[in-house]
Amino acid sequence: MALKVLSALDAAKIQLYHFKAIIVAGMGLFTDAYDLFCIPPIIKLIGRIYYDQTSGVHSEGKQYTNKTTPTVVVSALVAIALLGTVIGQLVFGRLGDLIGRRRMYGLSLTTMVLSSIACGFSICRTRNCVLVSLGFFRFLLGVGIGGDYPLSATIMSEFANKKTRGAFIAAVFSMQGFGILASSIVTMVVCKIFEAASDVSNGHTPEEADIAWRLILMVGAIPAAVTYYWRMMMPETARFTALVEQNVLQAAIDMKKVLDVPMSQIAEDSPLPSNPPSYPLLSKRFFRRHGRDLFSCAASWFLVDVVFYSSNLFQSQIYHRFVKDRNDLNAYELAFKVARFQAILAICSTIPGYWVTVNFIDRIGRVKIQMIGFFFMAMVYFAIGIPYKYYWSDNIDVGFMALYALSFFFSNFGPNTTTFIVPAELFPARFRSTCHGISGAVGKVGAIIGTVGFLWASQNQNSDGNPSPVRMTVALVLLGAVCLVGLAVTFFFTPETMGRSLEDNENEDESTGEQYILGGLTGSASLLTHSCFSSLNNETTVG
């Protein structure tokens, strides 16, 4: 028998609190994207400041004729933040199930805010010291961001109704798109202000540029800090209070504070017996019931992140073609052009991909969208990669950019969004945050692998400074193959969760879970099998 408070949540009409929760929960994802995408233009500034012999700023006696940050340094700064994200997802995800979503939510946000500010205050002004301290604080930033992933997804899934749950979680994730756009806008504004106030004649990089990139990083902390109060005012989710803490009355009281429903509709008529499940996390019974789901979520996230983060880093090769890093181009103008390029890509491709998912996720389902995304991403990478050596390496034009933009569109209208949604819907309340954290951590391991792969592929082998066409061809074709593997994993292992209560998706009944694991060989077959057994249980089971 379903608890009244949970049934009320599943059937609740869309209310103001749902939109407030989207904004509050989405600020962590906003900060994540802001800090990831402000790095490319910042790297341009750092290259001009710390790798420019002629500027007279901390050159440490070495000559760097192209005034650019080495690829290995760029990849290291990205990878160290991703490593922190892995740790944050595992630690905060588990604590979210043991201590509570709300209690850990404030801690993860505090970690993000303080580490964002600390990135700007990276100690020293010598190159090695700045880069080491920046890497350390970006690691801490990654821990905070990683913790926000499972908590935000879980909280939104547990507050939403079952009819529009996918759209709400996708809307939280779509805040990444606005984070990308905000990072570009802030970078452009700061660069223009500093350029107007500085002496940048003949491409000279002034001392004040060392303040500009720090300011850009610190501004990223503001949106997250503003939402801290509202995060602390959010009640614990009813599902955690009722199903994990076994306090149904408190769950009803908490929900009455935020949802416009009478207390009589959500309070139980009589006390329910406490019956907490007996099996622990990662036990044999856990894997028998949920191992298949955990594999599908983790594997899909791993595969899409290999591709997604490689694609983001690949932008640096495109900047090289469209934004010429000439010595007579001052540092602010160079960073401005890179940020403008990112803003255009976000407006034309990234943000539309997120919001098409928001519109269709509860109409056509998670599995179909994930499969569509993986398929078209594979086609795009094959279209770019196969002829790269013979055509694209010397002709990165509008056609190339259209294909490249499509890869981001179908990533977000596809597995980059759905892999964030599905783990928040499949697992029992007492494991939900943990399993989302595990899935996300495995995904970020894929991102680290993608970062290392990009480092290999982008090694300059030609006299013109461009990467080896052979290496780039191999890397792009491999990304397409990875997408096809993701398509296969989705087809054979990922169940559909659209329109179902979280409790129906949990597989907590022994017989249902075993039938479900053995029954479905495809995503659609899994949904059919799961639905049939859930309906049978509802008709024949009492209490």
Side-chain angles (χ1 to χ4, degrees), residues 384-406:
I384 294 175
I386 293 174
Y388 186 89
K389 177 181 177 182
Y390 305 101
Y391 182 74
W392 296 122
S393 63
D394 297 319
N395 297 278
I396 291 185
D397 52 17
V398 175
F400 180 92
M401 289 307 304
L403 289 172
Y404 183 69
L406 281 176

Side-chain angles (χ1 to χ4, degrees), residues 175-203:
M175 296 300 288
Q176 283 193 332
F178 295 111
I180 296 169
L181 185 59
S183 72
S184 299
I185 292 173
V186 169
T187 300
M188 289 189 288
V189 170
V190 170
C191 286
K192 281 301 179 184
I193 292 174
F194 273 76
E195 183 179 19
S198 304
D199 176 17
V200 291
S201 58
N202 300 320

